[in-house]
Amino acid sequence: MDWLSEHAWAAWLGVAALLGVAEMFSLDLVLLMLAVGAIGGGAAAALDAPVVVQVLVAAATALGTLTLVRPPLVKKLHSGPELSMSHGRLVGTQGLVLQTISGLQPGRVKLAGDEWSAAPYDETLVIEPGATVEVLEIRGATAYVHPVPQLDR
């Protein structure tokens, strides 16, 4: 028992290692947070704190990581890249006006290699052929566009 009291940090480190290995099988990050708590207990043991303090530090560290670190980490790991499917992927892209676009008469634009029916997002605008536009919205088969300002050279 003398060895254990003198090397409690090693026991805490062993517990942390076992929890870390077990985490590799569960992959839910709970055991990893408990392993971090065990490392906290080991740090307290390395500072020659009493066993009660070591256990309290380990418990507080594990509880803190479970409540503060794990939820945002799980959320980040479970969320993937945002997928744009169908015509929604065209929103934000730029295209070339092929036929005059006005609020009264939809025109045509070339977007991602395809021709689309287009109307101005601002119904008061008239957009002439050759202008570069940005797609702000897609409703049905019509792209609602706004002209991209060009720098005069």
Side-chain angles (χ1 to χ4, degrees):
M1 201 64 175
D2 240 2
W3 183 90
L4 186 59
S5 63
E6 291 176 14
H7 298 91
W9 63 270
W12 283 109
L13 190 60
V15 169
L18 287 174
L19 287 168
V21 168
E23 175 62 37
M24 287 192 265
F25 295 102
S26 72
L27 298 176
D28 63 357
L29 300 178
V30 171
L31 297 176
L32 182 63
M33 300 301 131
L34 295 177
V36 171
I39 291 172
L47 297 173
D48 291 328
V51 174
V52 173
V53 173
Q54 294 173 28
V55 171
L56 288 175
V57 167
T61 306
L63 187 63
T65 56
L66 280 169
T67 57
L68 299 175
V69 176
R70 185 178 178 271
L73 191 58
V74 167
K75 183 178 180 183
K76 184 165 180 74
L77 289 174
H78 286 186
S79 67
E82 196 170 310
L83 297 177
S84 297
M85 299 182 68
S86 182
H87 59 269
R89 65 179 164 63
L90 293 174
V91 174
T93 62
Q94 293 186 356
L96 180 67
V97 176
L98 301 174
Q99 183 183 31
T100 303
I101 303 169
S102 70
L104 299 173
Q105 180 63 41
R108 308 288 296 170
V109 293
K110 187 163 192 125
L111 298 172
D114 293 325
E115 276 193 36
W116 278 75
S117 172
Y121 193 77
D122 178 357
E123 294 178 1
T124 62
L125 291 177
V126 175
I127 307 170
E128 297 298 328
T132 302
V133 292
E134 180 177 356
V135 179
L136 299 180
E137 185 177 2
I138 302 278
R139 288 188 223 148
T142 303
Y144 286 82
V145 298
H146 191 75
V148 175
Q150 299 293 323
L151 296 176
D152 293 332
R153 293 182 193 169

